[in-house]
């Protein structure tokens, strides 16, 4: 039982370190995302999701999927296509770093 727990913890730790994006660089890059997703990741359009507070790993995977065409979307395919892996990691780090409060 302890071995399974330890293996799980080590796997999660390795996965976390794989997403070593720079939130500040992501914030700069996110200026182009603000038109639909808002300046702080809170969407200004009904059809665009909020990105603030989303898990970094999820955001990375979705941007990679848009870039590759695995997740089709007319606008996001165009926006994600030129992004490097580093830019994707930075964007994900920025949006994941935004704290969202529900009152």
């Amino acid at each position: 039982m302890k071995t399974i727990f330890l293996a799980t913890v080590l796997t999660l730790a390795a996965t976390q370190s794989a997403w070593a994006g720079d939130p500040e660089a992501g914030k700069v890059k996110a200026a182009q995302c603000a038109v639909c997703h808002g300046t702080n990741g809170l969407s200004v359009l009904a059809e665009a999701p909020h990105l603030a507070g989303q898990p970094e790993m999820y955001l990375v995977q979705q941007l990679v999927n848009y870039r590759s065409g695995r997740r089709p979307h007319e606008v996001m395919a165009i926006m994600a296509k030129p992004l490097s892996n580093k830019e994707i990691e930075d964007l994900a780090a920025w949006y994941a770093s935004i704290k969202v409060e529900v009152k």
Side-chain angles (χ1 to χ4, degrees):
M1 187 68 132
K2 285 183 180 181
T3 305
I4 293 172
F5 177 75
L6 181 58
T8 303
V9 169
L10 291 174
T11 300
L12 288 173
T15 302
Q16 283 294 89
S17 66
W19 315 122
D22 177 358
E24 289 305 313
K27 183 177 182 178
V28 172
K29 186 72 178 170
Q32 66 188 15
C33 309
V35 173
C36 297
H37 296 286
T39 55
N40 286 315
L42 297 175
S43 177
V44 294
L45 302 175
E47 62 275 6
H50 298 305
L51 300 179
Q54 292 287 344
E56 191 170 350
M57 183 170 44
Y58 171 78
L59 293 169
V60 167
Q61 189 59 57
Q62 296 317 304
L63 283 170
V64 168
N65 288 344
Y66 284 129
R67 184 178 64 186
S68 72
R70 192 172 305 129
R71 182 173 180 180
H73 187 276
E74 190 175 327
V75 174
M76 285 306 300
I78 294 167
M79 298 305 292
K81 192 73 161 178
L83 295 174
S84 69
N85 288 342
K86 178 68 172 132
E87 289 170 322
I88 287 174
E89 291 170 3
D90 293 347
L91 283 165
W94 161 242
Y95 286 117
S97 75
I98 299 171
K99 303 298 179 218
V100 178
E101 284 187 37
V102 178
K103 294 182 179 187

